[in-house]
Amino acid sequence: MALWGGNPEALIAERRNARRPLLEWSAWTTALALCPLVSVWLYLFGALSQAAFLTYIRPAIVILAVLMLVRTYFLLQGVKRNDQEAIYAPLGLSQVGFPQPDAAPKVLEGVRRGRSVRITVEGRHSTTQVSGQVLVFEVESVEGKFVLTEDLPEEVHSALKSLRKAMRWVGVKLAGTQEGVSVDRNSRGVNLWLYDLWLAERLLEQSQPV
């Protein structure tokens, strides 16, 4: 979610590719769960003798479980999400370095419509900074609704007033300086900084230069 950019087709393709391993894994778990049930039914209806049932049921379950574990390993190896191509690049952003998970914060930088953008994500906390000229202000959301005070600049007040209360704004704080707009977020979720980038650019678009 941003005022400019994004590649919906690439995102849809990424979702489809991510869905396929999950569907296959679900099929394996279903087969593993049904194997003993089907064997019991075959035995009860006389399609499977007691000797055959006792001889083959355990090895069949073990073999199926091993095959599922092996396939799960390869499925996990094949799931590679390319956020750089699907999300960052179309927005004019690129990741600064490629740190290992949980080893360092993820930093995105770029230039959008002449404004420098820097996004830092570390755990549940993210900071989105967009350069520009706005009047000084601070706003905090309470339970997903921005608290608007009388001392807010008119443009900021107008831009935020039209936003409905929503879970996407929970844990969000806004700050405006002569250097630009900063959006701090403490919340769970993936790529929620997209909302923050949209909001920062919206505020800058509607604000008059100092």
Side-chain angles (χ1 to χ4, degrees):
M1 181 178 182
L3 291 184
W4 306 278
N7 190 334
E9 292 78 10
L11 290 175
I12 292 173
E14 287 285 335
R15 292 192 189 102
R16 289 175 179 171
N17 291 334
R19 223 180 269 130
R20 291 191 188 107
L22 180 59
L23 292 175
E24 183 177 344
W25 188 83
S26 299
W28 278 101
T29 57
T30 301
L32 184 61
L34 289 178
C35 180
L37 294 177
V38 172
S39 300
V40 170
W41 290 339
L42 292 175
Y43 167 69
L44 292 176
F45 285 101
L48 195 65
S49 66
Q50 183 177 10
F53 176 80
L54 295 176
T55 301
Y56 297 111
I57 182 62
R58 290 183 180 177
I61 294 176
V62 171
I63 292 173
L64 189 58
V66 171
L67 290 175
M68 175 184 169
L69 290 175
V70 172
R71 185 54 184 158
T72 299
Y73 171 80
F74 286 105
L75 287 174
L76 292 176
Q77 290 292 105
V79 176
K80 295 182 180 180
R81 180 173 173 175
N82 194 341
D83 285 348
Q84 178 61 38
E85 293 183 5
I87 302 177
Y88 308 152
L91 292 173
L93 305 175
S94 61
Q95 186 170 349
V96 180
F98 296 91
Q100 296 297 321
D102 301 327
K106 177 172 66 176
V107 179
L108 306 175
E109 291 184 345
V111 177
R112 289 169 52 80
R113 294 178 66 86
R115 302 188 184 102
S116 62
V117 177
R118 181 180 175 87
I119 301 167
T120 306
V121 182
E122 186 170 12
R124 295 179 56 184
H125 181 262
S126 67
T127 301
T128 301
Q129 299 169 301
V130 182
S131 66
Q133 292 183 315
V134 293
L135 296 173
V136 176
F137 70 89
E138 289 186 359
V139 181
E140 183 176 357
S141 70
V142 176
E143 297 182 352
K145 182 65 177 178
F146 289 105
V147 180
L148 307 180
T149 58
E150 295 181 356
D151 60 341
L152 280 177
E154 181 179 352
E155 296 83 358
V156 176
H157 189 282
S158 176
L160 296 178
K161 185 179 180 180
S162 60
L163 297 179
R164 297 180 179 179
K165 180 178 180 180
M167 290 297 298
R168 69 176 67 96
W169 305 127
V170 173
V172 172
K173 296 181 180 179
L174 304 174
T177 67
Q178 292 185 351
E179 297 179 352
V181 175
S182 176
V183 185
D184 284 297
R185 172 186 292 272
N186 276 296
S187 60
R188 296 178 180 178
V190 179
N191 293 332
L192 291 179
W193 53 264
L194 286 165
Y195 291 106
D196 304 336
L197 177 59
W198 172 84
L199 183 56
E201 291 181 334
R202 174 185 171 92
L203 292 174
L204 288 166
E205 285 293 307
Q206 296 192 17
S207 299
Q208 298 295 327
V210 177

